[in-house]
Amino acid sequence: MSRTITIRAMKYNPQSKLSKAHFAEYKLEETDGMTLFIALTKIRETMDADLSFDFVCRAGICGSCGMMVNGKPALACRTLTKNFPDGVLQLMPMPAFKLIKDLSVDTGNWMNGMSKRVESWIHTNHKPDISKLEAPMEPKLADETFELDRCIECGICVAACGTKLMRPNFIGAVGLNRVARFAMDPHDERTDEDFYELVGDDDGIFGCMSLVACEDNCPKHLPLQSKIAYMRRKLVALR
Amino acid sequence: MSDLLEGFLGTSVEGKKSRVPAKLDYFQSATGLFLGLFMWGHMFFVSTILISKDFMYTITKMFEGSFLFKEPQSWIVSAMVFFVFVIFIVHAMLGMRKLPINFRQYQAYKTHAGMMKHDDTTMWLTQAFTGFAMFFLGSAHLLMMMVQADTIGPYGSSMRMYGDVMWPFYLLLLLAVEFHGGIGLYRLCVKWGWFEGPDAKVSRKKLKQVKWLITGFFLALGLLTLAAYVKIGYEYSNGLVDKYKPTAQIEVTYDVKVRA
């Protein structure tokens, strides 16, 4: 039997001097397998064309539709409305990112900055020959390395992080995970000293307060807790 | 000269990052580990009063070197307290770096913790508040013990609780220490990957259960111990019992009536 659910979404346009932050309430019939993304699309199509939110893939791959759902960051496309017994979902934009409007934030530019900051690419002195196969890796190591590559840069770990909210320059779990990924990859010739230069400070690995909300909310279930501990042990051991 | 340039630039003249943040992080953990484990031992020692006044007295005198010297030397305890005080100050100094330093940081974190309802995030607020409280409570206690080490014992300690009305102070200190220490030791395990096992999420859940069990145990032990000192102090203050004298030092005399 279907029920009526209530979506309470924060609305605010920081570009407009007339706009005042408030919650708009929408009531709609829940359908089978309804995701929050489907509900929001229905609201925008039938109730409020002005409601802004981000999406691309609708399948938990692009990482665009992150938002705070009843206080916790989650992907709208992977949030089933039936999992909320009281049928009330309060939505807010993810903190820590620049607010564009309503539920829409700019994760793209932040992630771009993060990638540049941790030099998120293979560093090697060998000129790659793309006509030849890449040097092989131990399968176990390859699995562990590419496991970390499953990050979709949705920003949920950043929005979940209390440290990041207090200290805007903190690199966040996504950045530390990226460093761990390249530190594990034998194709990357950077040393621990090189990685220290990227994240060896209080805005990097030593700023992390181990609140682990990143790990507990990551929609891709990445091993953020252990990889951050791994990088911390590695970098603190440097002389 | 290089210090001047490094201080100005934030990097060495070769453009390298300082290793100091790594050391600060390491020493924050190391001092916290020492203090956390020390508090476990400390709680066992003070709770000896629950067994008997004599046992508590014996342990106290043991720390005063009764096994080495003819007369117990309270300066040994003062020296130990001084050492702990130094570690405590270093830990406070390093921990302070993590506290919110302005209203916006505090407001953002508090709102976030309220929204997230995430254990580890909320526990950090507890850790921050109890840590801040211990700047004062811990310092006052350590200073008292350092300068009055000779008064530690069944009589002096219980009179401090009841006669000097210090029990509310110690109640607050107990709560602050047990919550701060328990959360801190748990967080150390998470931070450095100790006891991680094959599944960090599962082991963290277990660690948290153990953490609460240990916190519950030490809180119960601490409250009972505090109550025991208050009770004994009450008895001394109201003349219900004689001032404590170790059983071993009580002279036993017999009135022997000689039958004619």
Side-chain angles (χ1 to χ4, degrees):
Chain A
M1 203 176 84
S2 74
R3 61 174 181 164
T4 301
I5 59 167
T6 304
I7 305 273
R8 201 177 293 139
M10 185 183 122
K11 292 201 73 180
Y12 177 54
N13 181 1
Q15 312 291 329
S16 160
K17 285 187 176 167
L18 298 173
S19 175
K20 272 188 179 175
H22 66 283
F23 283 99
E25 201 168 285
Y26 313 96
K27 288 191 185 296
L28 64 159
E29 284 298 298
E30 188 176 42
T31 52
D32 281 346
M34 182 181 242
T35 63
L36 180 55
F37 161 74
I38 293 172
L40 285 169
T41 307
K42 198 167 175 187
I43 290 168
R44 190 153 63 183
E45 282 173 359
T46 61
M47 295 181 219
D48 184 359
D50 179 57
L51 180 65
S52 296
F53 61 96
D54 301 318
F55 73 95
V56 178
C57 77
R58 300 166 288 174
I61 297 165
C62 73
S64 301
C65 61
M67 59 186 67
M68 303 301 276
V69 184
N70 286 358
K72 296 175 197 294
L75 294 178
C77 69
R78 289 185 54 169
T79 303
L80 291 166
T81 56
K82 72 172 182 190
N83 290 341
F84 296 81
D86 63 356
V88 179
L89 287 86
Q90 178 165 289
L91 309 180
M92 291 178 79
M94 287 199 295
F97 296 103
K98 188 184 170 196
L99 176 61
I100 297 173
K101 184 177 167 288
D102 305 338
L103 305 173
S104 172
V105 293
D106 181 1
T107 53
N109 277 317
W110 192 91
M111 292 294 169
N112 189 26
M114 177 278 297
S115 291
K116 287 179 182 160
R117 191 167 147 193
V118 302
E119 300 183 10
S120 179
W121 55 88
I122 295 280
H123 288 51
T124 176
N125 290 322
H126 302 292
K127 198 174 176 196
D129 182 351
I130 55 168
S131 68
K132 287 187 179 154
L133 284 176
E134 202 174 47
M137 284 166 77
E138 283 298 320
K140 189 171 176 291
L141 182 58
D143 283 348
E144 285 177 23
T145 306
F146 299 132
E147 166 74 1
L148 307 186
D149 259 345
R150 293 195 305 107
C151 174
I152 54 173
E153 297 192 352
C154 59
I156 281 179
C157 59
V158 177
C161 178
T163 308
K164 170 71 182 164
L165 292 191
M166 280 204 293
R167 302 193 165 85
N169 280 336
F170 180 55
I171 191 75
V174 59
L176 298 173
N177 174 68
R178 193 64 58 81
V179 173
R181 180 251 174 273
F182 286 103
M184 289 169 73
D185 192 335
H187 295 121
D188 196 310
E189 290 169 5
R190 278 180 287 185
T191 62
D192 289 346
E193 278 80 5
D194 295 327
F195 291 119
Y196 190 97
E197 292 307 315
L198 301 174
V199 291
D201 56 27
D202 288 331
D203 287 331
I205 192 78
F206 305 121
C208 170
M209 301 198 296
S210 309
L211 306 171
V212 286
C214 51
E215 163 132 343
D216 289 345
N217 289 278
C218 174
K220 305 308 275 188
H221 308 293
L222 296 179
L224 299 172
Q225 176 194 331
S226 39
K227 288 308 156 204
I228 292 173
Y230 163 78
M231 283 313 300
R232 192 191 296 273
R233 289 195 302 269
K234 252 170 122 54
L235 297 188
V236 94
L238 289 175
R239 294 283 161 246
Chain B
M1 188 59 79
S2 65
D3 276 356
L4 174 66
L5 292 174
E6 186 166 344
F8 182 78
L9 297 168
T11 58
S12 71
V13 283
E14 289 83 24
K16 298 285 182 193
K17 273 194 170 132
S18 168
R19 292 281 197 261
V20 173
K23 290 188 173 69
L24 298 181
D25 196 45
Y26 176 80
F27 282 111
Q28 185 186 348
S29 293
T31 51
L33 179 66
F34 170 83
L35 291 168
L37 297 180
F38 170 78
M39 283 319 300
W40 287 3
H42 177 280
M43 187 50 85
F44 282 123
F45 295 133
V46 295
S47 65
T48 50
I49 196 72
L50 292 171
I51 296 171
S52 73
K53 290 177 190 169
D54 277 343
F55 188 39
M56 192 264 176
Y57 180 82
T58 308
I59 294 292
T60 307
K61 293 304 152 190
M62 183 191 81
F63 281 111
E64 292 178 7
S66 61
F67 52 94
L68 283 176
F69 305 100
K70 203 173 175 187
E71 286 295 313
Q73 306 290 315
S74 63
W75 63 266
I76 299 175
V77 174
S78 296
M80 284 193 284
V81 177
F82 176 74
F83 176 71
V84 173
F85 206 173
V86 170
I87 303 280
F88 176 85
I89 290 170
V90 171
H91 183 69
M93 196 172 72
L94 296 173
M96 203 170 66
R97 300 171 307 136
K98 305 288 177 185
L99 294 177
I101 51 157
N102 57 43
F103 173 67
R104 181 55 197 147
Q105 288 187 352
Y106 169 73
Q107 185 192 37
Y109 195 96
K110 194 167 168 288
T111 307
H112 180 68
M115 279 169 67
M116 292 275 292
K117 294 182 178 53
H118 175 254
D119 258 10
D120 292 62
T121 302
T122 310
M123 282 196 308
W124 187 83
L125 265 187
T126 309
Q127 219 181 349
F129 274 115
T130 50
F132 183 74
M134 276 197 292
F135 282 145
F136 313 102
L137 301 176
S139 295
H141 169 64
L142 285 160
L143 190 65
M144 252 190 293
M145 292 304 105
M146 202 163 68
V147 298
Q148 295 182 345
D150 56 322
T151 65
I152 300 171
Y155 179 78
S157 299
S158 52
M159 284 304 284
R160 194 172 2 261
M161 295 299 156
Y162 187 81
D164 299 343
V165 203
M166 289 297 283
W167 66 266
F169 168 86
Y170 278 102
L171 180 62
L172 289 177
L173 182 59
L174 172 71
L175 293 171
V177 166
E178 293 313 329
F179 282 113
H180 188 90
I183 297 170
L185 288 173
Y186 159 79
R187 210 178 291 288
L188 275 184
C189 296
V190 174
K191 184 172 178 177
W192 296 98
W194 299 339
F195 311 110
E196 207 169 69
D199 189 335
K201 259 202 176 96
V202 172
S203 59
R204 177 151 56 93
K205 202 175 168 188
K206 283 185 191 154
L207 270 176
K208 206 182 283 176
Q209 284 169 345
V210 172
K211 181 212 99 63
W212 281 117
L213 278 176
I214 292 174
T215 302
F217 170 74
F218 279 111
L219 268 181
L221 188 64
L223 289 171
L224 282 174
T225 303
L226 186 60
Y229 281 113
V230 170
K231 177 180 170 282
I232 296 167
Y234 172 81
E235 289 167 354
Y236 284 137
S237 299
N238 292 284
L240 301 177
V241 289
D242 292 335
K243 186 176 172 182
Y244 175 74
K245 205 169 183 195
T247 309
Q249 292 172 19
I250 295 173
E251 286 177 24
V252 182
T253 54
Y254 294 98
D255 281 337
V256 181
K257 284 184 182 175
V258 181
R259 198 177 279 177

